[in-house]
Amino acid sequence: MKTVLTSKKPLPDPELPALKAELLAAQGELAFAYQQFDQALAPELVECCIYQISAAKARCNYLIRIIKERSPQSALSAEEEALWT
């Protein structure tokens, strides 16, 4: 009888690098939205910036959650997680 050894280590998700790149892009959009907010003078522009910030934050939070779900046991380093939150 042959014994087959299997690794209990889960395989990394092939989409994980793309998700991380998308998160970095979303963080850039969030930073840009904050810069625009800091420079906005007209009330309409301030309101627009607030919506952009809210949307970018929601996107970042979504991507962080998806990355955590797909990552094998704490694949996010503490440094990466600090950058993304």
Side-chain angles (χ1 to χ4, degrees):
M1 179 184 211
K2 248 185 186 180
T3 304
V4 178
L5 298 176
T6 59
S7 173
K8 293 187 180 192
K9 188 177 179 182
L11 294 175
D13 189 332
E15 293 181 15
L16 211 49
L19 288 170
K20 288 182 178 183
E22 191 175 343
L23 177 59
L24 288 174
Q27 288 175 322
E29 292 170 16
L30 179 60
F32 183 69
Y34 274 118
Q35 287 174 351
Q36 286 183 316
F37 177 79
D38 289 340
Q39 297 174 0
L41 299 176
E44 295 88 1
L45 292 178
V46 171
E47 185 177 356
C48 178
C49 291
I50 291 170
Y51 283 115
Q52 287 176 331
I53 290 169
S54 179
K57 280 184 173 183
R59 186 165 178 235
C60 287
N61 289 336
Y62 166 77
L63 289 167
I64 289 169
R65 184 174 49 82
I66 295 300
I67 290 169
K68 283 182 179 181
E69 287 173 1
R70 291 183 175 206
S71 295
Q73 303 150 342
S74 291
L76 295 177
S77 69
E79 296 153 0
E80 285 178 319
E81 191 162 345
L83 286 174
W84 294 345
T85 55

